Amino acid sequence: MAADTQESPRLAPAAGAGGDEGEYINIKPFTPEKAKGIIMSLQQPAVFCNMVSDWPSRHWTAAYISEVLHGRQIRFRMGMKSTHTVPQFETTCSYVETTLEEFLTWNCDQSNASGPFGDYDHSRFWAYADYKYFVNLFEDSSDIFQDVLWSDFGFPGRDGQESTLWIGSLGAHTPCHLDTYGCNLVFQVQGRKRWHLFPPEDTPFLYPTRIPYEESSVFSKINVVNPDLKHFPRFQKARRHTVTLSPGQVLFVPRHWWHYVESIDPVTVSINSWIELEEDHLARVEEAITRMVVCAMKTSEDPHDIRAWLNPTEVGATSHEINCRYLNGAVSAFFDHHRTPRAVEIQALKANGENVEKKELNGSSHMEVGQTHGQDLSLAAGKQDVVSLFGPDLFPVNPGPEEEHPSEGGGIFEKGGKELVDKDGEYFAKSCCAKRQQMLSKSENVVVEQTAPGSAPGLSQAFISTDDLLDCLVNPQVTRMVAQLLIQGKSL
């Protein structure tokens, strides 16, 4: 099925209507219970069709939202329409406070830009109003929350209050990242967006980083639409899944799937909601660890330039005292949620600890601490049932044909990272140690070269920055192990 086909609602005569004109109800392909079962079982991205034809928010074009907001100003992120290999992180973008009406005028009347957009040539820049939470944006029009009906997907009571709005121009995009909390449902309202997705087990190939820092977001160092394979050769191993999301369709993004999203029409409007999962309790501990380490090291490096590393979505760099309270709160909440007998908790954590090196480095793990083998089998059975439902109303986002990239690797990556990755895409600690020994043995020569009499002081290729160290210390696989150890220690 083509991903960009328009939706056509299925109608049937209402009960007792006798077939009178106008007496029709919308028939959805999945009941709320069935839709939720699919979301909770499926481990790959998929697109729902014919599920939102009767949603009032189906008509939320940018022009309509502009009328609802009555000239209220919102912030747009301004980025360059470029083909550079470096990602455009939010810390490198500029921002304007303006109205949707002015945005639409700038987007249409491209030759006479004025006002807040006066400094931004439409042919060179894109604009993106992202992360706009409904509760903040529509505080004067709370009735509008009911226009979004996530209850049709099996989440009763979830509406616009638990949703986020995204409005962009052609070329607007979010850098490749994964969300550490929950899974994601994305309703495309206006225009089309192209999604580039990568599975969690490809994390080593995406070169994860927590700089810029934003809670719950792990960014990739790679511009996945124009990758620099010389500097990031392992990216050749990543399995790209691409889909174009059209109005009326809803994309399901499973937990920890990497995604890069770009607007491919002049105006795009999307609504999304992050669905909480059982695994989020452990993820909050991991995020608290990350926040503590990043804030401590980066503020020590330069306490006066936090905007160079802190995403604009973050209020500010929190103090060590606050971060300690946050971490203790996350650990306490983890135990409060599980409420399992002490001995069972210890046994489960010890069992996990014995397999940390081999299993816990797997970025695709969806299993909580103490989850049983029986639950694993149930998940596999559920996945098979979901696959049988694929058809016109639910189609999977499959990996596309692999692109032919010239081999530009070298050094320790000359084999495409095979020595660092096992069959499941996991880092082997012993391989890393072996490489570290190799690098340490070479470092003696580096030091000698730098300190040789008569030589000019300078930086060698082995120079390690704070960000380089953070990429190791708060790597998602590392923080997972640290969280496990913390919980295990507090269980004894």
Side-chain angles (χ1 to χ4, degrees):
M1 172 181 176
D4 57 353
T5 54
Q6 294 293 320
E7 300 296 317
S8 298
R10 297 176 178 177
L11 303 177
D20 293 339
E21 184 177 356
E23 299 292 335
Y24 287 88
I25 59 174
N26 178 259
I27 298 179
K28 299 181 186 297
F30 305 108
T31 65
E33 295 75 19
K34 177 63 74 173
K36 184 175 182 179
I38 293 172
I39 292 167
M40 291 296 139
S41 301
L42 193 58
Q43 301 298 300
Q44 73 177 104
V47 176
F48 287 90
C49 303
N50 303 307
M51 286 290 289
V52 297
S53 300
D54 59 344
W55 286 21
S57 53
R58 176 74 187 270
H59 307 290
W60 281 20
T61 63
Y64 171 79
I65 298 172
S66 176
E67 294 179 2
V68 174
L69 292 178
H70 300 296
R72 178 172 178 172
Q73 288 199 333
I74 58 177
R75 187 170 72 163
F76 280 84
R77 173 161 56 98
M78 307 302 297
M80 293 286 295
K81 294 180 180 178
S82 67
T83 57
H84 203 278
T85 58
V86 177
Q88 287 193 61
F89 292 124
E90 293 172 51
T91 50
T92 64
C93 293
S94 55
Y95 294 83
V96 298
E97 297 283 342
T98 185
T99 65
L100 266 180
E101 183 179 5
E102 290 173 313
F103 162 74
L104 293 171
T105 300
W106 170 75
N107 207 38
C108 295
D109 188 12
Q110 303 172 5
S111 59
N112 298 313
S114 60
F117 291 103
D119 295 331
Y120 300 95
D121 184 344
H122 187 274
S123 65
R124 298 175 55 235
F125 288 88
W126 48 258
Y128 209 5
D130 50 7
Y131 291 104
K132 298 298 177 281
Y133 289 92
F134 277 41
V135 291
N136 299 324
L137 197 59
F138 300 110
E139 56 186 0
D140 297 328
S141 308
S142 58
D143 290 345
I144 206 169
F145 297 154
Q146 308 305 317
D147 289 2
V148 183
L149 307 173
W150 296 117
S151 56
D152 284 348
F153 288 86
F155 303 97
R158 181 178 290 266
D159 55 21
Q161 293 186 79
E162 295 82 24
S163 302
T164 307
L165 185 69
W166 310 72
I167 303 173
S169 65
L170 180 66
H173 65 269
T174 54
C176 188
H177 68 284
L178 68 80
D179 302 314
T180 58
Y181 300 147
C183 60
N184 198 1
L185 288 175
V186 186
F187 167 32
Q188 191 62 29
V189 180
Q190 179 181 5
R192 296 169 301 154
K193 281 186 173 179
R194 181 170 294 122
W195 286 69
H196 303 256
L197 302 113
F198 303 86
E201 55 267 29
D202 281 3
T203 293
F205 310 140
L206 273 296
Y207 297 82
T209 182
R210 295 310 299 261
I211 303 297
Y213 173 75
E214 175 183 85
E215 182 178 355
S216 80
S217 294
V218 182
F219 291 101
S220 169
K221 295 181 179 180
I222 302 170
N223 180 355
V224 298
V225 295
N226 188 29
D228 182 348
L229 296 178
K230 181 177 180 180
H231 289 92
F232 305 109
R234 291 203 306 273
F235 181 66
Q236 297 176 87
K237 301 293 183 180
R239 292 161 293 172
R240 187 192 303 263
H241 298 57
T242 307
V243 65
T244 298
L245 199 64
S246 296
Q249 296 178 333
V250 175
L251 174 66
F252 164 62
V253 182
R255 181 175 186 262
H256 284 185
W257 272 72
W258 293 84
H259 47 284
Y260 172 102
V261 190
E262 56 182 336
S263 298
I264 60 173
D265 279 329
V267 179
T268 61
V269 177
S270 307
I271 299 171
N272 89 291
S273 187
W274 285 283
I275 308 299
E276 300 82 4
L277 296 174
E278 182 72 16
E279 295 92 335
D280 290 350
H281 298 284
L282 183 60
R284 288 189 180 90
V285 179
E286 299 169 27
E287 284 299 300
I289 294 168
T290 299
R291 176 185 287 273
M292 177 176 285
V293 174
V294 171
C295 287
M297 294 189 66
K298 293 300 289 185
T299 53
S300 296
E301 181 182 48
D302 187 349
H304 305 296
D305 190 22
I306 64 172
R307 288 303 165 190
W309 58 270
L310 192 68
N311 227 37
T313 52
E314 294 290 319
V315 176
T318 46
S319 68
H320 185 70
E321 180 182 359
I322 292 176
N323 290 334
C324 281
R325 291 203 299 265
Y326 183 36
L327 175 59
N328 278 277
V331 173
S332 297
F334 176 88
F335 285 118
D336 289 344
H337 173 77
H338 284 82
R339 298 186 184 280
T340 55
R342 188 177 183 85
V344 175
E345 190 77 43
I346 296 172
Q347 183 179 4
L349 286 162
K350 285 184 176 179
N352 261 275
E354 292 173 359
N355 296 300
V356 156
E357 183 173 280
K358 187 173 181 180
K359 293 183 178 179
E360 286 305 323
L361 292 175
N362 185 358
S364 64
S365 175
H366 292 256
M367 310 304 288
E368 189 69 80
V369 174
Q371 201 161 9
T372 65
H373 180 62
Q375 288 172 305
D376 195 10
L377 292 176
S378 298
L379 184 63
K383 182 179 179 181
Q384 291 179 350
D385 292 340
V386 171
V387 170
S388 66
L389 296 173
F390 287 148
D393 300 310
L394 177 70
F395 62 89
V397 181
N398 293 316
E402 295 185 3
E403 298 180 5
E404 293 294 328
H405 296 299
S407 177
E408 298 183 55
I412 64 173
F413 303 125
E414 61 185 359
K415 296 182 180 180
K418 288 184 179 179
E419 293 182 353
L420 298 178
V421 183
D422 71 357
K423 63 180 181 180
D424 293 320
E426 302 171 353
Y427 280 106
F428 273 121
K430 60 182 181 181
S431 295
C432 292
C433 289
K435 298 301 178 184
R436 184 183 64 180
Q437 286 293 108
Q438 186 178 14
M439 295 300 292
L440 286 175
S441 64
K442 292 181 179 180
S443 65
E444 297 179 2
N445 294 331
V446 173
V447 173
V448 171
E449 291 176 4
Q450 288 183 327
T451 58
S455 62
L459 298 179
S460 74
Q461 292 182 351
F463 174 74
I464 306 265
S465 68
T466 302
D467 291 357
D468 292 332
L469 184 57
L470 282 172
D471 286 341
C472 300
L473 294 178
V474 292
N475 182 285
Q477 288 83 14
V478 174
T479 53
R480 169 59 62 95
M481 288 192 295
V482 174
Q484 294 278 3
L485 290 171
L486 272 179
I487 293 170
Q488 182 178 354
K490 292 301 178 182
S491 300
L492 300 177

